[in-house]
Amino acid sequence: MTGSHSAPQDVFDEMFRHSPVMAILRGLDQPTTLNLCHRLWDLGVVAVEIPVQREADLATLAAAAAAGEHRRRPVGAGTITSVELVAQVAAAGAAFTVAPGLDEHVLTACTGLGLAHLPGVATGTEVQRATRLGLRWAKAFPAAQLGSAWITAMLAPFPDARFVATGGITTANAGEFLSAGAAAVSLGGSLADADDDAIYTLIAGSSPTPDKAAGKGAPNRPTPLAAVGRPGGGGLRQQESGEIRSISDFPHQGETDHDGPC
């Protein structure tokens, strides 16, 4: 399997343009997940990832995706390690997928369903392979073990790469990775547990907002995203059966500082 897949990654350009921070909400019950989604969206975090590692996570993903659809906020599925899982999260309304590694079969399945895919990379060989497959965006994982210097080093030979630092990222070290050249950072429990001021500070210190340019501390609220991640817009997705359904048709139903396998 060689050559570019024409992978649809524009959703990442859009959502990280508004805020270079993604929340990873792993293993939480549905009410807690929805409450955190709304709180983080209100604070200016645009992107949310729901890792899917058990049956209950699919229902949580569907509910979060429906809430995100209403607020025009993209909700993606994480820990996507099989083609079968791609189909399941697509049916649940995921706007994008995230994986711990780079699997071309998973990428092909995502591309076939119009889902943006963010694969994990940890070596120059993997970054080059991702680039060859038409992927500008990739997840630097596990970021804390790789170190922020890894980001800077990889951008030298791959200046067009866009890395989302993930794994061991906290509100305390996120700025270090962004300063090193990461295009975005993903945080788990550290973000969910942070107070409002810490989240505002993280976004304000890393987003090119008018307030920041004027030397003010708090960022502007992100403007609404228009049908981000939805092929054709309008919140509709075509299932493999050919039926068109609204994400609202799906059922509406913990993590600490460790982001897990993502």
Side-chain angles (χ1 to χ4, degrees):
M1 194 178 302
T2 60
S4 172
H5 288 240
S6 297
Q9 288 198 309
D10 289 350
V11 62
F12 300 129
D13 293 321
E14 180 68 7
M15 72 186 191
F16 289 129
R17 178 175 68 83
H18 289 263
S19 168
V21 177
M22 180 156 66
I24 302 173
L25 304 182
R26 177 187 303 281
L28 304 172
D29 62 48
Q30 194 169 127
T32 300
T33 298
L34 291 175
N35 286 338
L36 280 171
C37 282
H38 286 294
R39 173 176 174 250
L40 293 168
W41 290 331
D42 288 343
L43 291 172
V45 175
V46 173
V48 170
E49 172 194 335
I50 309 293
V52 177
Q53 295 181 277
R54 55 183 184 168
E55 193 67 28
D57 295 334
L58 282 170
T60 299
L61 170 64
E69 183 80 5
H70 179 71
R71 295 194 55 171
R72 297 188 179 183
R73 293 291 182 263
V75 175
T79 320
I80 304 305
T81 56
S82 71
V83 171
E84 293 75 20
L85 199 50
V86 171
Q88 289 178 305
V89 300
F96 59 91
T97 56
V98 183
L102 176 54
D103 183 320
E104 293 182 36
H105 296 291
V106 169
L107 172 61
T108 298
C110 290
T111 302
L113 291 172
L115 283 172
H117 184 58
L118 187 71
V121 296
T123 67
T125 298
E126 291 173 342
V127 176
Q128 184 165 338
R129 183 174 160 214
T131 300
R132 176 173 53 83
L133 292 170
L135 298 167
R136 290 176 297 108
W137 287 87
K139 180 176 74 172
F141 178 77
Q145 285 71 27
L146 293 172
S148 60
W150 184 94
I151 303 288
T152 306
M154 286 298 160
L155 287 173
F158 304 107
D160 295 329
R162 299 291 180 266
F163 295 115
V164 181
T166 308
I169 303 298
T170 69
T171 53
N173 66 9
E176 173 188 338
F177 283 85
L178 291 167
S179 295
V185 290
S186 292
L187 294 82
S190 174
L191 187 64
D193 295 338
D195 60 32
D196 291 1
D197 287 343
I199 296 173
Y200 272 132
T201 298
L202 175 60
I203 297 174
S206 55
S207 301
T209 63
D211 275 348
K212 183 183 177 186
K216 300 176 183 178
N220 283 350
R221 303 286 186 181
T223 54
L225 304 183
V228 171
R230 301 293 178 193
L236 298 177
R237 178 176 297 285
Q238 184 169 1
Q239 308 304 307
E240 290 182 292
S241 64
E243 178 186 7
I244 300 293
R245 298 177 60 183
S246 167
I247 184 60
S248 61
D249 292 339
F250 291 101
H252 286 60
Q253 306 290 322
E255 174 72 324
T256 61
D257 286 344
H258 304 289
D259 298 330
C262 301

